[in-house]
Amino acid sequence: EATASLPNLLWMAEVYWDMEWRMQQLGFHFTYDKRLLDRLHFVAPGEVRAHLRAELDYQNRLVRFLENHDEARSALVFGKERLPAAAALVATLPGMRFYQQGQFEGRTIRPPVQLAAAAEEPADAEIRALYERLLHISNADVFHAGAWRLLDVHPAGESLHKNLVAYEWRLGNERRVVVVNLGKEASQGVLRLEGFDRGHNYAFHDELDDSRYERTGEELERDGLFVRLESNRAHIFEILNS
């Protein structure tokens, strides 16, 4: 009744204790996804992947974040080593992408909410460049109006494929495939993607570093897409007809 009385207001609940779904049913448009943040903090790729198997109606109303007014700064918790993977994940998952003031600049001091201003900190150029690239990439319509699907990662000669989390977005002819290595070591795996024509060639353009990989439809149908990533790195592939 309360949310219905203000129909033009966007309602977001900061909620824990497994009450997220309940609050959504009571009328909140979005609820905090603190569980994802905790799993990213403790480097649990399998638990992150399991978390992303939830129903999409639920995930579409989750608030994905790496820091807020109560949490330690993400630049401090993840450091420059782990931040690229975590930031790429949160920037491209379904739901609301939530950023804290100062996060783009890599600030490490968390001011109490009672203070009117935080201590001055110089911006970290490397972290700012990372977020500028991710914001530009995730601004594409496919990441907002597209259909999202979690992908299985199959082994490619060893068990470290379990460190990889992969999913795709599709909107009309647009297609993106995101692969993130949340593990502590270089990891590799195979993705079985659908919808390729055996007689065509395809280019996988990584929007994060502008690298490009050429594959034939026949290769993709037969062998799948092999991926190898260093620890805490990501691919955001735009798939193009070559």
Side-chain angles (χ1 to χ4, degrees):
E1 291 175 359
T3 58
S5 70
L6 293 170
N8 296 321
L9 189 68
L10 183 70
W11 294 81
M12 182 174 72
E14 180 185 3
V15 58
Y16 310 104
W17 313 296
D18 295 324
M19 291 290 290
E20 295 86 355
W21 174 250
R22 174 65 174 153
M23 298 304 285
Q24 289 180 11
Q25 300 314 295
L26 288 173
F28 279 87
H29 299 111
F30 294 94
T31 56
Y32 265 32
D33 190 5
K34 177 66 160 50
R35 235 171 232 296
L36 176 63
L37 178 64
D38 290 342
R39 285 166 174 165
L40 289 172
H41 277 177
F42 296 108
V43 194
E47 292 184 20
V48 171
R49 190 165 43 253
H51 184 66
L52 298 180
R53 294 191 187 280
E55 292 294 327
L56 198 51
D57 286 348
Y58 171 64
Q59 292 202 63
N60 281 335
R61 297 170 67 183
L62 289 175
V63 178
R64 320 289 196 171
F65 64 102
L66 293 180
E67 62 177 68
N68 67 9
H69 63 284
D70 285 326
E71 301 290 335
R73 291 286 198 177
S74 56
L76 186 64
V77 173
F78 295 101
K80 288 186 181 180
E81 180 59 32
R82 294 179 56 206
L83 191 58
L89 190 81
V90 166
T92 57
L93 283 175
M96 177 187 287
R97 295 114 191 199
F98 178 96
Y99 298 100
Q100 168 80 343
Q101 183 182 18
Q103 182 176 342
F104 296 153
E105 292 77 30
R107 295 201 176 144
T108 59
I109 299 172
R110 182 185 67 83
V113 295
Q114 293 85 356
L115 294 183
E120 289 294 326
E121 284 187 82
D124 187 299
E126 186 177 342
I127 292 177
R128 187 196 291 273
L130 170 66
Y131 279 114
E132 285 178 353
R133 176 60 68 100
L134 286 172
L135 289 172
H136 175 74
I137 292 169
S138 62
N139 193 45
D141 288 343
V142 65
F143 289 109
H144 300 268
W148 179 88
R149 182 170 72 98
L150 185 67
L151 299 171
D152 291 326
V153 183
H154 301 275
E158 34 90 316
S159 62
L160 294 178
H161 68 285
K162 296 177 181 177
N163 289 329
L164 302 178
V165 174
Y167 44 89
E168 69 173 352
W169 286 91
R170 302 184 77 163
L171 179 64
N173 293 325
E174 285 195 72
R175 190 172 184 181
R176 303 291 192 278
V177 170
V178 180
V179 189
V180 178
N181 182 3
L182 297 176
K184 297 179 180 179
E185 53 272 301
S187 302
Q188 61 191 38
V190 172
L191 305 180
R192 296 289 180 182
L193 303 173
E194 301 172 354
F196 294 107
D197 188 325
R198 296 177 70 89
H200 283 76
N201 296 328
Y202 297 89
F204 288 75
H205 168 229
D206 190 342
E207 296 187 283
L208 282 172
D209 63 7
D210 285 326
S211 56
R212 185 181 176 99
Y213 305 89
E214 304 283 342
R215 297 291 184 271
T216 67
E218 184 177 0
E219 285 180 285
L220 293 166
E221 288 288 325
R222 184 186 64 234
D223 305 324
L225 178 67
F226 173 82
V227 292
R228 179 177 174 83
L229 277 168
E230 296 301 317
S231 172
N232 293 296
R233 292 300 180 265
H235 288 308
I236 302 178
F237 288 128
E238 179 184 15
I239 304 178
L240 306 165
N241 287 323
S242 180

